[in-house]
Amino acid sequence: MATFLETSIEYLKGVGPMKADLLKKELGIHTFGDLLTAYPYRYVDKTRFHKIRELSEQSGEVQLKGILRKLDVRGEGRKKRLTGRLRDETGVIELVWFRSVYWLLNKLEVGKQYVAFGRVNSFNSFLNIPHPEMEEVSEANLQAALTFAPVYSSTDKLNNKGLDAKGRRRLMELLLNKLTAADLPENLPDYMLERMKLPGRFESVRWIHFPKNQQQLDLAKKRLVFEELFFLQMRLLQSKHRRKASIKGYVFSKVGELFHQFYKEKLTFELTGAQKRVIKEIRSDLGSGIHMNRLLQGDVGSGKTIAGLLCMLIALDNGHQACLMAPTEILAQQHFIGISEQVEGMDIEVAFLSGSIKGKKRKAILERLKEGEIDILIGTHALIEDWVEFKNLGLAITDEQHRFGVKQRASLWKKSKPYPPHVLVMTATPIPRTLAMTLYGDLDVSVIDELPPGRKPVTTVHRTENHRLRVFGFMKEEIAKGRQVYVVYPLIEESEKLDLKNLMEGYEAISREFPLPDYAISIVHGKMKAKDKDFEMQRFVKGETQIMVATTVIEVGVNVPNASVMIIENTDRFGLSQLHQLRGRVGRGADQSYCILMTGFQLSSDARERIATMVRTNNGFEIAEADLKLRGPGNMEGLQQSGMLNLRIADLGRDGEILKTARAMAQRILDKDPELKHPLNARLKKYMDTAERKVRGWGRIS
Ligand code: ADP
Ligand code: MG
């Protein structure tokens, strides 16, 4: 049997089949429960009356109380309108209606007291209020009328069927009148309500729709936001907990010879504190017998790779193979070359595999892999193909910056028996912590939040077209010092042709300014064959060319420590996180590096804000927070598919603090009482069990 909240919306008084259909189609409201959780998106302050004398063009929405003085129908045809005058003790203002003229004329009564609500408008330098809502109010009822009035989202179709602001409000009143506390049982334990000073669920839902004052509204909001985020975290953490309880992992009990040998003989620098901490966290996972599924976050250049390598050595020390998967051929090759060099002279077989390795070569690698002759396999997504079989894969690392899908990651899990390999996901796309908790909520997260010592922060400046020659001059100075320069153009699919034209024109201008034989230039863009791209890339990596003109294909992970200048063209067309990624290509060596953000003169305020943020800070997390605030979570990479944006009231951009509290609390509860068997947690269990039904399959995001 359907509960009250599951009742179809058509059975609400005043709705009926036709309006129900519209509510479903236009707003996705099917049931009483849906209507109840279609919260207002804003409120209008009707807690006080404005004085007519104090009104101005800037007053916005106002509520007035006065006597209706005059009513006249004026004009003809389409210009026909009803005008009235409202007088309070301080003055008079004109009211005007262009619709429902005769109906209103009939309804309104001159000489009576009304509360009028509307937006102040100026017409021929006279103030008036077009289409005010009029409520006849006796002095006795006045106090009850003083509230924050909710405003619900609506559409033209709904407006035309009487479900406008007022109509929606009336529906909500009807629903709330029928709603009893039993329909909306408390789902948070008393101890939480007390500690957090939160109002009850039933009250909060009433208040969020019809708050008496700001304080009630704030309390209701806090409670409902908390509740939403808390249960979100409970589900994520519970699914993590269950995964850990059910999926066993290989036990890497020892840190052995290879690890120690590498640490003593090969490591040319001291690990940062953050790197040490992260390796410790991973080591404790690997030794626990529980399957590891961990995210390693760290800004570009923070040294994730070396941390990953050390973990691979632990796998090898325990008789297992390891693999590292990167999203592009270039990046995978770089990892292969780098890691091969680092372990040179040690008893470790490293191999490379990608789609471009074919025929006999591929066959040989696959055979040696299956025989266990290869210890570390590095490559592209070719690694997850069915024909790649390991002897005993123990650790799979992906270096991904959001580029691998959930499915791709999952197929790595099948590469080993009886247990899946331990999984480490490395990402350089800084995600605000608040978001990481949600997006990767059922993974463990490690963060390298410290750069290796001696790095000079990249100096970032904003330059416009008229500085072009000075920028060229600066490039020449840097090249004369032996440095290399990137010049990057945006590439956005819809305007691909235009972008290519931009790029080619830029390339020609640079070629004229930097002619052979003094200078050599590489060019890389998406329309080139992989082989040619690679060739050009390699020339730059080897230092044979001084300038790399490219589209954003170079964004991912390329490491050329000698490059000291990053010039970004049409900066306004890049998002913040992308700009940060690009800037991360320089500043990898010991020299001072520069990032020059080029734009035209006309800039949107958003673009200005992005550029100001880039100039102000080098901190990836700070930039990610700014990005989240500017664009909202809906545009954060990776979030869309996660299905986690169906939040009813919480806003991940704004409610970060509450999210942190909610997560910590959920964590503490589940640590002590994972299956929620304690009587104190009975409400949680009951709610999770019933809510679970409706959101089945929900927690499967890793
Ligand atoms: P990312 O986190 O972007 O993948 P990398 O692992 O590529 O960073 O490291 C960037 C550079 O910093 C590499 O050249 C690496 O050898 C170097 N590096 C890493 N850790 C340290 C450290 N603790 N001290 C000095 N240099 C380091
Ligand atoms: Mg890297």
Side-chain angles (χ1 to χ4, degrees):
M1 201 193 72
T3 63
F4 178 76
L5 292 181
E6 288 164 353
T7 311
S8 169
I9 193 70
E10 80 172 271
Y11 301 116
L12 186 62
K13 200 178 147 205
V15 177
M18 237 182 45
K19 285 184 184 170
D21 213 43
L22 265 182
L23 284 168
K24 281 177 207 169
K25 281 197 187 118
E26 299 286 299
L27 298 174
I29 294 173
H30 295 253
T31 63
F32 286 7
D34 291 340
L35 185 64
L36 199 65
T37 51
Y39 298 122
Y41 70 92
R42 68 182 184 101
Y43 299 82
V44 287
D45 186 353
K46 292 188 174 177
T47 56
R48 70 187 196 92
F49 294 112
H50 294 77
K51 299 276 175 252
I52 289 175
R53 194 184 48 210
E54 290 161 7
L55 298 182
S56 75
E57 252 178 274
Q58 277 80 42
S59 296
E61 286 179 327
V62 295
Q63 177 169 253
L64 304 170
K65 181 185 71 175
I67 309 289
L68 187 61
R69 273 305 172 206
K70 248 176 110 168
L71 273 180
D72 292 304
V73 178
R74 303 209 181 134
E76 282 301 322
R78 302 182 74 209
K79 287 199 170 157
K80 183 167 284 180
R81 62 193 187 274
L82 177 68
T83 62
R85 278 159 174 274
L86 191 77
R87 175 192 292 279
D88 70 4
E89 65 278 16
T90 68
V92 180
I93 190 162
E94 186 172 76
L95 312 175
V96 55
W97 295 268
F98 297 92
R99 290 190 300 260
S100 316
V101 166
Y102 289 104
W103 186 78
L104 281 164
L105 183 65
N106 195 21
K107 198 180 131 211
L108 298 172
E109 258 183 73
V110 172
K112 282 206 163 159
Q113 171 167 282
Y114 284 92
V115 170
F117 182 84
R119 182 174 288 279
V120 179
N121 179 44
S122 151
F123 182 72
N124 289 341
S125 78
F126 281 101
L127 296 182
N128 68 11
I129 301 184
H131 289 280
E133 289 175 21
M134 300 292 280
E135 210 82 54
E136 193 188 325
V137 184
S138 68
E139 207 59 42
N141 289 338
L142 220 46
Q143 275 314 310
L146 293 179
T147 57
F148 276 82
V151 183
Y152 299 97
S153 55
S154 190
T155 66
D156 282 346
K157 279 187 186 160
L158 288 169
N159 283 336
N160 290 339
K161 289 281 178 255
L163 292 176
D164 54 2
K166 228 171 155 179
R168 286 290 306 280
R169 236 174 270 158
R170 200 163 302 133
L171 275 194
M172 197 53 76
E173 273 166 4
L174 281 170
L175 183 65
L176 287 182
N177 283 340
K178 294 182 111 188
L179 185 79
T180 65
D183 299 318
L184 215 58
E186 183 53 61
N187 53 14
L188 297 175
D190 287 333
Y191 69 87
M192 278 173 80
L193 297 178
E194 277 158 30
R195 188 172 332 151
M196 302 270 309
K197 299 197 172 57
L198 297 174
R201 188 174 177 215
F202 179 63
E203 267 174 312
S204 298
V205 168
R206 301 184 69 89
W207 289 352
I208 198 79
H209 290 291
F210 296 105
K212 281 268 170 294
N213 50 43
Q214 189 68 43
Q215 197 196 359
Q216 260 189 4
L217 176 59
D218 291 346
L219 276 170
K221 222 179 213 167
K222 182 177 166 198
R223 145 84 205 208
L224 293 171
V225 167
F226 176 81
E227 175 188 322
E228 184 164 49
L229 294 174
F230 173 76
F231 283 109
L232 178 77
Q233 291 302 325
M234 283 292 280
R235 273 185 223 115
L236 287 166
L237 292 171
Q238 203 171 43
S239 97
K240 174 161 115 183
H241 187 90
R242 287 186 179 149
R243 177 169 52 72
K244 285 191 168 184
S246 64
I247 306 180
K248 293 207 166 49
Y250 299 110
V251 183
F252 297 167
S253 53
K254 60 178 181 199
V255 172
E257 206 176 313
L258 293 174
F259 185 97
H260 289 303
Q261 187 192 357
F262 184 86
Y263 212 98
K264 269 190 228 129
E265 296 170 16
K266 299 287 176 183
L267 204 55
T268 51
F269 43 73
E270 176 81 2
L271 293 179
T272 62
Q275 283 171 317
K276 285 182 189 162
R277 171 170 43 79
V278 161
I279 291 167
K280 224 178 187 171
E281 285 166 3
I282 297 171
R283 255 178 59 187
S284 106
D285 279 5
L286 297 177
S288 69
I290 292 165
H291 177 247
M292 176 176 82
N293 196 15
R294 187 172 278 276
L295 177 76
L296 175 55
Q297 268 203 84
D299 217 339
V300 271
S302 60
K304 293 182 293 295
T305 315
I306 207 78
L309 176 58
L310 282 162
C311 296
M312 292 201 271
L313 297 181
I314 298 177
L316 269 48
D317 274 335
N318 287 273
H320 282 269
Q321 294 166 300
C323 72
L324 170 59
M325 179 163 86
T328 65
E329 179 102 14
I330 294 172
L331 186 59
Q333 270 179 17
Q334 241 181 22
H335 276 315
F336 173 65
I337 294 165
I339 287 176
S340 300
E341 271 171 18
Q342 280 172 307
V343 302
E344 212 181 315
M346 295 175 68
D347 186 17
I348 297 175
E349 269 306 299
V350 186
F352 178 79
L353 184 68
S354 77
S356 66
I357 308 279
K358 294 197 175 92
K360 272 188 194 158
K361 238 177 142 183
R362 177 190 287 185
K363 214 173 148 215
I365 289 173
L366 294 179
E367 261 162 35
R368 289 169 59 222
L369 190 66
K370 210 172 157 181
E371 290 304 313
E373 287 163 25
I374 291 171
D375 301 305
I376 295 178
L377 184 66
I378 296 173
T380 59
H381 53 265
L383 262 58
I384 59 174
E385 298 290 346
D386 285 339
W387 37 265
V388 179
E389 288 178 61
F390 291 82
K391 182 174 182 222
N392 56 3
L393 181 64
L395 171 67
I397 301 182
T398 60
D399 186 7
E400 61 173 61
Q401 346 220 337
H402 281 307
R403 280 171 206 241
F404 293 116
V406 173
K407 262 198 197 136
Q408 283 171 309
R409 274 196 231 141
S411 43
L412 269 176
W413 285 44
K414 296 186 205 129
K415 292 278 173 204
S416 181
K417 288 215 168 75
Y419 306 136
H422 293 294
V423 173
L424 183 68
V425 177
M426 302 196 298
T427 170
T429 307
I431 312 165
R433 280 159 216 271
T434 52
L435 222 53
M437 285 176 199
T438 310
L439 188 50
Y440 294 106
D442 85 334
L443 272 69
D444 292 302
V445 179
S446 291
V447 182
I448 302 187
D449 49 7
E450 183 185 349
L451 291 182
R455 291 272 168 79
K456 293 197 180 74
V458 179
T459 301
T460 304
V461 294
H462 175 206
R463 293 285 179 263
T464 41
E465 209 42 55
N466 54 326
H467 294 98
R468 177 71 59 189
L469 286 179
R470 304 240 307 266
V471 171
F472 280 153
F474 180 69
M475 286 166 68
K476 282 179 187 158
E477 283 170 30
E478 285 293 302
I479 291 171
K481 286 190 222 157
R483 303 282 106 78
Q484 288 164 286
V485 179
Y486 289 105
V487 184
V488 178
Y489 286 81
L491 187 88
I492 296 170
E493 272 160 43
E494 307 94 71
S495 58
E496 210 170 328
K497 272 205 189 109
L498 193 68
D499 284 329
L500 198 59
K501 188 165 160 270
N502 273 341
L503 174 82
M504 293 320 284
E505 280 171 9
Y507 175 68
E508 277 158 27
I510 291 167
S511 302
R512 279 194 297 277
E513 195 68 31
F514 297 86
L516 285 164
D518 296 343
Y519 300 97
I521 307 172
S522 284
I523 179 164
V524 173
H525 58 79
K527 285 273 177 254
M528 287 163 68
K529 288 206 185 96
K531 223 175 153 187
D532 300 336
K533 264 194 260 185
D534 226 52
F535 176 76
E536 289 285 319
M537 220 43 237
Q538 290 306 341
R539 287 210 310 152
F540 188 69
V541 172
K542 287 181 201 144
E544 293 166 11
T545 58
Q546 294 95 39
I547 302 174
M548 161 63 77
V549 179
T551 55
T552 41
V553 288
I554 64 144
E555 184 192 339
V556 177
V558 192
N559 193 12
V560 183
N562 190 47
S564 65
V565 184
M566 166 63 66
I567 297 172
I568 303 177
E569 298 289 341
N570 299 316
T571 302
D572 43 313
R573 287 185 41 199
F574 290 94
L576 255 180
S577 69
Q578 213 178 5
L579 288 173
H580 181 66
Q581 287 290 315
L582 285 170
R583 178 167 59 185
R585 299 306 110 217
V586 296
R588 305 200 137 207
D591 300 292
Q592 177 62 54
S593 295
Y594 305 87
C595 176
I596 303 177
L597 307 172
M598 300 293 300
T599 69
F601 294 102
Q602 297 275 347
L603 286 177
S604 69
S605 65
D606 246 36
R608 260 177 219 292
E609 185 61 39
R610 287 199 299 274
I611 290 168
T613 305
M614 285 294 291
V615 171
R616 184 180 69 237
T617 178
N618 271 292
N619 182 318
F621 287 103
E622 215 177 305
I623 286 172
E625 297 283 355
D627 201 23
L628 179 60
K629 291 218 169 78
L630 269 176
R631 296 196 299 168
N635 290 306
M636 299 300 285
E637 226 179 319
L639 254 190
Q640 239 126 13
Q641 317 89 289
S642 72
M644 226 157 304
L645 290 167
N646 304 328
L647 295 172
R648 290 301 226 179
I649 188 164
D651 171 345
L652 294 176
R654 182 195 62 204
D655 297 321
E657 282 308 309
I658 301 183
L659 176 58
K660 261 185 238 170
T661 314
R663 183 172 174 89
M665 208 164 266
Q667 183 79 63
R668 228 173 313 152
I669 290 170
L670 289 173
D671 280 349
K672 280 195 203 136
D673 186 15
E675 293 305 322
L676 302 175
K677 288 186 177 140
H678 197 284
L680 278 176
N681 293 325
R683 284 178 192 162
L684 296 178
K685 178 160 175 47
K686 187 160 180 223
Y687 184 73
M688 297 275 293
D689 286 351
T690 46
E692 200 88 311
R693 267 196 334 224
K694 288 170 201 158
V695 286
R696 202 191 294 284
W698 188 98
R700 322 204 82 246
I701 42 145
S702 58

